[in-house]
Amino acid sequence: MTCLIKGCNFVLKNIPHEAFVYVKHADPEFRFQTTHPNIFPYLLVNIGSGVSIVKVETEDKFERIGGSSIGGGTFWGLGALLTKTKKFDELLQLAAKGQHTNVDMLVKDIYGGGYQILGLTGNLIASSFGKSSTVDKEFSKEDMAKSLLHMISNDIGQLACLYAKQHNLSQVYFGGFFIRGHPVTMHTITYSINFFSKGEVQALFLRHEGYLGAIGAFLKGAEEDNPNLYSWGENYAGSSGLMSTSPDVFPMQRSRSGTFDMLEMDRLERQLVNLPLLFDPSSYVPDTVDLTEDAMAREYWLTCFEDALEGVAKRAVASQPDAKDAADRAGKFQQKYWNKLQTLRHQPFAYGSLTVRSLLDTREHCLNEFNFPDPYSKVKQKENDIALKCYQKVIRSLDALGWEEKQFALVKGLLAGNVFDWGAKAVSEVLQTDPEFGFEEAKKKLQERPWLVDSYHGWIERLKGPPHKCALIFVDNSGIDIILGVFPFVRELLSRGTEVILACNSGPALNDVTFNESVIVTERIADMDTIIQSALQDERLILVQTGSSSPCLDLSRLDKGLALLVKERNTDLVIIEGMGRAIHTNYYAVLQCESLKLAVIKNSWLAERLGGKIFSVVFKYEMPPK
């Protein structure tokens, strides 16, 4: 039981889209829940041979408050007697084809319709297997299996509902290996809970419900290593994900003994926590578009990632010219990621809500699996060297401008720097075919004002007021972006008296700058810029890592050290730049302080969807809600 609770706490804390609501006939039928920062208290209904109902109050405090001998073993045992079918999954398959109304007596069978005075609809089951005593005929195995599944699921649902109401708990999770992602079971339990609680209690299911005890046992065995000191992340390359509910899709997989083939978790080196400046962490959703719900966007992005795959594989090979097996490994990466994309076409919900972020992260996981941890390393070094040679010239030209002109030039530089994104097809094609394409050329590509989203006037008015105490800047790309776009902007903030925290990825993704790379770049800039040098020495400019290795940004999973620093420095301005961090994620994120989200839209389909054209500008300055 201890292992079971440990496992449940672990998946709820570490897998963002672990819990879901099942809605039959909806599209999608899975509605994934955002991980709440505080998962306690909750009720766990563990359905194994019997049923155990456990109230979980803290990491270590839990109590078995009830249970039942009528559980998964009952379904299996009675099912075997009724149908002569000995295998559990075969019973579920029979139930999926059955029609329970042939066996069950309904309210309308007794009253000729609904019993409105008591609030009973005509289709409600009045007596499970009730017709078997009054109708003289043979019943099919399928119908009996379906009736039995309904009977046991309804019973468990009612029991769970009563305990939840008695203990005033609204979060009820169903675990154990009885459910197996089986739609009839989930629908019946959901219906039962909803019916008996009048909609006050919600049935929540877990993607990894069959694994809780095993995960808990592993964690208990690893206690000397104190697993709670670390954060963990699901590895999409190694995990097979939630299987399709449709028996027509991958029938061989559906007939296997479980819902999952494999779950792989990565232990992250750093503990991840919420950004303290989130206005309401419990309602924060990182992703702007849920592709499980938006079929048109899903089709576009899956095709987009398929089309880009060959280029990514070539880039991976080019990054390791001395490795004889690089082409072979790149081919394996290409095949694995292609297979993942095909799985997601059929099962968009395989890893929770499908988003552009999860597609990018899956690609990074697959690259890492075949030992391509940083395919853009040589590109980044080359671009950093080129940009550093131009730094002093850019600063001199900025310093020659009047105040208002300079502020606009700084913003334009920040936006132009953001054009240099190898993850965007339109840009990577330009960078590959035109080696002379540089900072000034990028400025000419930008949309003229008024921009697609344009809060520049509000920003410039704010700058006429007192300086911010501390600005947290989430940086995007290496090269021109950080060196000629971000650093002149940082320099101006420092000159105003604002401290700056510069946050970069902990690990590589595309051509995004990593923390280690930012340290080298900053030292080289400091050698030629006294303002940056003195700010580093006085700790008015601090470099930190985000804890992420993604081109996108989840503000609920950030490095603990970064979160502590943000609080310590009374940060009152957050700047998020780039399509991945400010458009695909965090576009609607609400913060407790002022924020600036800016990006250049380097994808024509996305630009058109937002009402603009390629290289349209988003400059979104927001004040905190009152």
Side-chain angles (χ1 to χ4, degrees):
M1 193 63 77
T2 302
C3 291
L4 184 74
I5 304 306
K6 271 186 185 293
C8 194
N9 291 342
F10 177 86
V11 295
L12 288 174
K13 283 193 302 182
N14 288 286
I15 303 180
H17 292 146
E18 176 61 31
F20 62 88
V21 173
Y22 181 76
V23 186
K24 191 181 179 184
H25 303 312
D27 184 20
E29 63 252 79
F30 296 88
R31 303 276 169 85
F32 291 95
Q33 307 295 292
T34 307
T35 307
H36 196 282
N38 183 15
I39 62 171
F40 306 108
Y42 66 85
L43 196 70
L44 176 62
V45 181
N46 195 61
I47 314 168
S49 303
V51 179
S52 284
I53 297 176
V54 187
K55 180 183 178 182
V56 185
E57 295 184 74
T58 66
E59 198 72 53
D60 303 306
K61 187 181 177 185
F62 64 88
E63 179 190 359
R64 185 183 186 277
I65 55 174
S68 171
S69 61
I70 300 170
T74 316
F75 173 67
W76 198 349
L78 277 176
L81 291 171
L82 288 166
T83 68
K84 308 302 180 209
T85 302
K86 294 291 185 185
K87 291 185 177 174
F88 191 86
D89 283 306
E90 284 179 17
L91 267 175
L92 287 176
Q93 283 172 354
L94 285 174
K97 297 170 190 168
Q99 181 56 262
H100 78 98
T101 54
N102 292 333
V103 184
D104 293 340
M105 189 176 287
L106 308 181
V107 169
K108 67 183 178 185
D109 295 323
I110 301 171
Y111 298 106
Y115 200 150
Q116 303 305 334
I117 297 169
L118 296 181
L120 303 176
T121 63
N123 289 322
L124 203 66
I125 299 170
S127 174
S128 295
F129 288 90
K131 285 180 183 170
S132 60
S133 62
T134 60
V135 179
D136 187 20
K137 71 165 191 175
E138 287 289 314
F139 295 97
S140 74
K141 291 179 180 182
E142 289 83 358
D143 293 347
M144 289 190 290
K146 182 70 162 278
S147 175
L148 183 62
L149 187 63
H150 270 290
M151 182 179 85
I152 288 166
S153 299
N154 273 325
D155 186 61
I156 293 168
Q158 183 176 20
L159 202 58
C161 176
L162 292 169
Y163 277 111
K165 293 190 86 169
Q166 185 184 14
H167 291 269
N168 199 26
L169 296 168
S170 58
Q171 295 183 102
V172 183
Y173 297 102
F174 289 85
F177 217 26
F178 169 65
I179 296 159
R180 305 190 176 210
H182 194 263
V184 179
T185 316
M186 294 190 295
H187 172 64
T188 311
I189 289 173
T190 300
Y191 181 86
S192 176
I193 285 266
N194 191 51
F195 178 81
F196 290 113
S197 75
K198 295 183 171 63
E200 290 175 16
V201 179
Q202 201 171 38
L204 292 160
F205 302 96
L206 302 168
R207 279 175 53 218
H208 302 100
E209 41 100 5
Y211 278 64
L212 304 184
I215 292 169
F218 162 72
L219 293 170
K220 192 157 174 59
E223 272 176 352
E224 287 178 21
D225 201 24
N226 200 347
N228 284 331
L229 288 180
Y230 304 95
S231 288
W232 302 70
E234 184 173 9
N235 187 310
Y236 298 136
S239 295
S240 47
L242 192 62
M243 290 301 175
S244 169
T245 59
S246 168
D248 306 323
V249 181
F250 307 126
M252 288 303 292
Q253 289 183 339
R254 199 57 214 163
S255 64
R256 296 181 68 159
S257 61
T259 315
F260 298 93
D261 289 339
M262 185 162 174
L263 164 65
E264 184 175 325
M265 298 288 289
D266 292 333
R267 192 187 81 177
L268 309 175
E269 289 309 308
R270 310 179 72 82
Q271 210 169 347
L272 305 182
V273 297
N274 276 311
L275 177 70
L277 295 171
L278 280 174
F279 187 74
D280 178 14
S282 64
S283 66
Y284 168 70
V285 177
D287 304 286
T288 306
V289 178
D290 185 344
L291 302 181
T292 36
E293 295 181 5
D294 190 331
M296 190 187 292
R298 177 169 75 239
E299 174 59 31
Y300 171 77
W301 285 111
L302 285 169
T303 303
C304 189
F305 278 91
E306 285 172 359
D307 293 346
L309 186 49
E310 192 176 341
V312 175
K314 284 178 181 173
R315 172 71 53 195
V317 175
S319 71
Q320 298 181 3
D322 301 327
K324 291 176 183 175
D325 65 340
D328 181 52
R329 283 185 286 115
K332 288 176 179 173
F333 149 73
Q334 199 169 343
Q335 189 59 55
K336 179 138 195 178
Y337 189 55
W338 174 266
N339 291 342
K340 290 282 175 189
L341 292 173
Q342 302 325 300
T343 298
L344 291 166
R345 278 191 181 281
H346 294 295
Q347 303 157 228
F349 45 77
Y351 301 102
S353 292
L354 180 65
T355 61
V356 174
R357 174 168 63 110
S358 67
L359 287 169
L360 285 162
D361 290 350
T362 303
R363 189 169 69 184
E364 293 300 322
H365 292 171
C366 289
L367 281 165
N368 275 297
E369 181 168 325
F370 294 102
N371 199 24
F372 293 109
D374 195 359
Y376 290 84
S377 56
K378 287 182 168 51
V379 174
K380 289 188 284 184
Q381 287 170 19
K382 182 184 171 186
E383 290 185 347
N384 284 344
D385 290 341
I386 292 168
L388 283 162
K389 287 173 185 169
C390 305
Y391 178 78
Q392 286 174 302
K393 182 186 173 186
V394 168
I395 294 299
R396 279 196 299 272
S397 67
L398 284 166
D399 286 344
L401 299 172
W403 186 82
E404 286 224 17
E405 277 183 293
K406 185 180 184 182
Q407 301 314 309
F408 186 67
L410 285 164
V411 165
K412 204 169 175 184
L414 202 52
L415 292 164
N418 192 244
V419 168
F420 293 84
D421 180 357
W422 280 87
K425 188 182 176 186
V427 177
S428 61
E429 285 174 353
V430 172
L431 296 175
Q432 282 171 325
T433 54
D434 183 3
E436 298 303 309
F437 186 84
F439 193 44
E440 295 307 316
E441 286 76 12
K443 285 181 188 174
K444 291 170 190 168
K445 286 270 188 191
L446 296 177
Q447 174 193 16
E448 293 292 322
R449 284 194 70 201
W451 294 321
L452 183 62
V453 177
D454 196 333
S455 312
Y456 181 73
H457 178 73
W459 171 248
I460 200 78
E461 288 304 307
R462 172 62 186 86
L463 289 184
K464 292 173 184 174
H468 296 91
K469 293 189 192 76
C470 179
L472 167 64
I473 304 178
F474 290 99
V475 187
D476 191 1
N477 306 304
S478 289
I480 288 174
D481 192 357
I482 184 171
I483 294 163
L484 304 184
V486 173
F487 261 100
F489 198 85
V490 167
R491 190 177 186 270
E492 181 69 10
L493 288 171
L494 291 167
S495 301
R496 279 173 57 81
T498 301
E499 294 179 350
V500 176
I501 302 168
L502 213 56
C504 301
N505 269 5
S506 298
L510 295 170
N511 66 317
D512 293 6
V513 64
T514 65
F515 169 72
N516 289 337
E517 290 161 355
S518 74
V519 171
I520 296 164
V521 164
T522 307
E523 284 173 354
R524 289 178 70 180
I525 289 174
D527 287 343
M528 48 185 164
D529 190 329
T530 54
I531 291 175
I532 299 297
Q533 189 174 57
S534 65
L536 274 175
Q537 288 169 349
D538 301 343
E539 293 189 348
R540 288 180 293 113
L541 171 60
I542 301 176
L543 308 182
V544 294
Q545 51 185 309
T546 60
S548 169
S549 301
S550 169
C552 297
L553 179 64
D554 182 349
L555 296 175
S556 68
R557 285 173 69 81
L558 289 176
D559 186 272
K560 194 175 182 180
L562 164 59
L564 291 170
L565 190 63
V566 162
K567 272 176 137 174
E568 188 185 293
R569 295 291 172 118
N570 295 315
T571 302
D572 54 355
L573 173 64
V574 174
I575 299 171
I576 306 174
E577 66 134 355
M579 260 175 65
R581 291 167 180 79
I583 304 293
H584 293 314
T585 51
N586 300 304
Y587 189 73
Y588 297 117
V590 183
L591 302 177
Q592 295 173 21
C593 66
E594 292 170 56
S595 65
L596 187 54
K597 299 165 190 172
L598 53 123
V600 178
I601 310 294
K602 298 163 293 257
N603 176 288
S604 54
W605 180 87
L606 182 61
E608 282 173 29
R609 212 172 202 227
L610 294 171
K613 295 177 182 176
I614 196 158
F615 298 114
S616 288
V617 169
V618 170
F619 188 91
K620 195 179 185 189
Y621 169 63
E622 293 174 306
M623 297 291 287
K626 289 179 180 174

